[in-house]
Amino acid sequence: GFIMLAVMSVTFGFSMNGHNTVVTNYFEDVLHFSGPQFGYITAIREVGGLVLIFLTALLYRISLQWVTAGALVALGLGYALFSQASGFWTGVPWVLITSFGFHTVLQTQSYLGMSLTTEDRSGAILGRMWAFGQGGTFAAFALIFILFQFDLLSFQPTFVILGVAALIGAIAITTTH
């Protein structure tokens, strides 16, 4: 189970932090957001966390693995569909969908790690899990640096790559026993 959780942590770190690295430039360079639009989109992004408070009761009966997998699917689809945004209003749905996804995974990830160990080993397991996530983050930063430094890809295919990474994490977490 830990190997699949590690794969999920790597892909989640890769997709979420890779997206966070490029999305501001995408908003500015491609969608031409103004100052207030950056503030509005940030506020909209936080709606997912607020709604999650109320959805928690509904999700209580679903296993943590499946909630996390569903959140990663939402995250992956949202990230991939960012490539279709052509302005502020066409970006809002993808911001909301990704917000639901990453706010959910942020809440479930530690609990999944805790479910795989005993209390006396929980610190070590969580530390390893977060280290794998940071490894994914580093890989995303390196890839994005190379892609954009040498003009190998534009924003759109980069968003698709980040979305596919999150979907791989969803598959990995559903195979955890």
Side-chain angles (χ1 to χ4, degrees):
F2 181 76
I3 292 171
M4 293 293 105
L5 183 60
V7 170
M8 188 277 297
S9 295
V10 168
T11 59
F12 177 61
F14 180 89
S15 63
M16 183 183 76
N17 293 305
H19 184 265
N20 290 341
T21 301
V22 297
V23 75
T24 302
N25 290 327
Y26 181 69
F27 287 156
E28 185 176 341
D29 297 345
V30 177
L31 301 183
H32 308 293
F33 279 15
S34 63
Q37 287 176 315
F38 279 102
Y40 299 145
I41 210 75
T42 300
I44 290 167
R45 187 188 70 208
E46 296 309 320
V47 168
L50 178 65
V51 171
L52 184 61
I53 293 168
F54 301 105
L55 286 178
T56 302
L58 297 173
L59 299 174
Y60 181 70
R61 295 218 179 262
I62 301 172
S63 78
L64 210 50
Q65 288 173 274
W66 286 103
V67 169
T68 305
L72 286 165
V73 167
L75 188 73
L77 291 175
Y79 284 170
L81 290 170
F82 254 93
S83 65
Q84 302 304 306
S86 60
F88 181 83
W89 291 110
T90 58
V92 167
W94 316 132
V95 169
L96 284 170
I97 289 170
T98 59
S99 176
F100 293 129
F102 81 76
H103 278 102
T104 302
V105 176
L106 287 173
Q107 299 307 311
T108 61
Q109 190 175 24
S110 295
Y111 296 111
L112 286 168
M114 298 293 283
S115 71
L116 295 174
T117 189
T118 61
E119 186 178 339
D120 60 322
R121 294 201 49 216
S122 62
I125 293 295
L126 292 177
R128 287 185 192 127
M129 188 181 70
W130 287 106
F132 279 108
Q134 292 304 312
T137 298
F138 179 75
F141 289 169
L143 178 68
I144 288 167
F145 174 77
I146 292 167
L147 291 177
F148 286 90
Q149 181 67 30
F150 299 106
D151 292 322
L152 299 175
L153 288 179
S154 67
F155 288 104
Q156 287 80 4
T158 302
F159 285 133
V160 171
I161 290 168
L162 298 171
V164 167
L167 293 174
I168 291 169
I171 293 166
I173 204 62
T174 58
T175 60
T176 303
H177 298 293

